[in-house]
């Protein structure tokens, strides 16, 4: 397949094995905690534990958790990444939510991210659903650019600014304390 004259790799989604899931979960817990800390939404202290708790809540039965589908993405026999999809309520129906999509570091920049997302779209349509949604951290410019190129639009934007009081503000506050 080609897109605008650029070859797009073929990607196959295979259900994760128990061994693949164990490795995926270890890595996902770490990267999810790090992403929240870098985004400023979680303090570093306790981030790993919070990530473990969130993953345990979302996947209480591991690979057998109803409505969740975890895949190993392959190009031929080569593992090129992972994909975690789940059915979630949306309006009066359901949609597919992308909880995690990851391309192996050594495979990035070769079109695999787009190929995995297209495979997710095909999987969603095959499941009888017509909406695919995801969350991306604001500082992940590469992923945000990819999603825009694939036709995704921002539906919600949360913005924050870390404020630092000036030295004058601190002295004003201390003089008003009783």
């Amino acid at each position: 397949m080609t897109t605008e004259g650029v070859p797009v790799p073929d990607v196959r989604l295979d259900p994760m094995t128990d061994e693949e899931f164990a490795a995926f979960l270890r890595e996902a817990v770490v990267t999810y905690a790090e992403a929240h800390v870098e985004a400023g939404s979680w303090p570093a202290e306790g981030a790993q534990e919070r990530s473990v708790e969130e993953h345990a809540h979302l996947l209480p039965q591991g690979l057998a958790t109803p409505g969740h589908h975890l895949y190993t993405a392959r190009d031929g026999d080569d593992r090129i990444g992972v994909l975690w999809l789940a059915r979630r309520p949306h309006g009066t129906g359901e949609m597919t939510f992308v909880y995690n999509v990851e391309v192996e570091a050594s495979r990035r920049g070769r079109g695999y991210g787009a190929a995995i997302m297209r495979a997710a779209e095909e999987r969603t349509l095959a499941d009888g659903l017509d909406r695919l949604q995801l969350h991306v951290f604001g500082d992940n410019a590469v992923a945000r650019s990819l999603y825009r190129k694939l036709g995704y639009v921002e539906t919600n934007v949360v913005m924050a600014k870390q404020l630092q009081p000036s030295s004058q503000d601190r002295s004003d506050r201390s003089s008003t304390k009783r």
Side-chain angles (χ1 to χ4, degrees), residues 57-68:
H57 174 75
L58 289 169
L59 295 167
Q61 298 173 36
L63 285 173
T65 302
H68 290 256

Side-chain angles (χ1 to χ4, degrees), residues 11 33 42 73 101 129-130 134 139 157 175:
V11 168
W42 291 357
V101 59
L129 302 176
D130 63 1
L134 55 84
D139 65 345
V157 177
S175 65

Side-chain angles (χ1 to χ4, degrees), residues 143-163:
R144 292 178 73 198
S145 175
L146 169 66
Y147 300 139
R148 279 189 208 104
K149 287 178 187 172
L150 291 172
Y152 290 78
V153 296
E154 293 177 348
T155 59
N156 298 283
V157 177
V158 176
M159 299 177 78
K161 179 179 180 180
Q162 186 65 44
L163 303 178

Side-chain angles (χ1 to χ4, degrees), residues 56-92:
H57 174 75
L58 289 169
L59 295 167
Q61 298 173 36
L63 285 173
T65 302
H68 290 256
H69 305 282
L70 292 104
Y71 301 99
T72 298
R74 299 188 194 285
D75 184 355
D77 291 333
D78 296 333
R79 179 183 188 277
I80 53 100
V82 296
L83 178 67
W84 172 9
L85 303 175
R87 290 178 81 107
R88 289 192 21 188
H90 177 74
T92 59

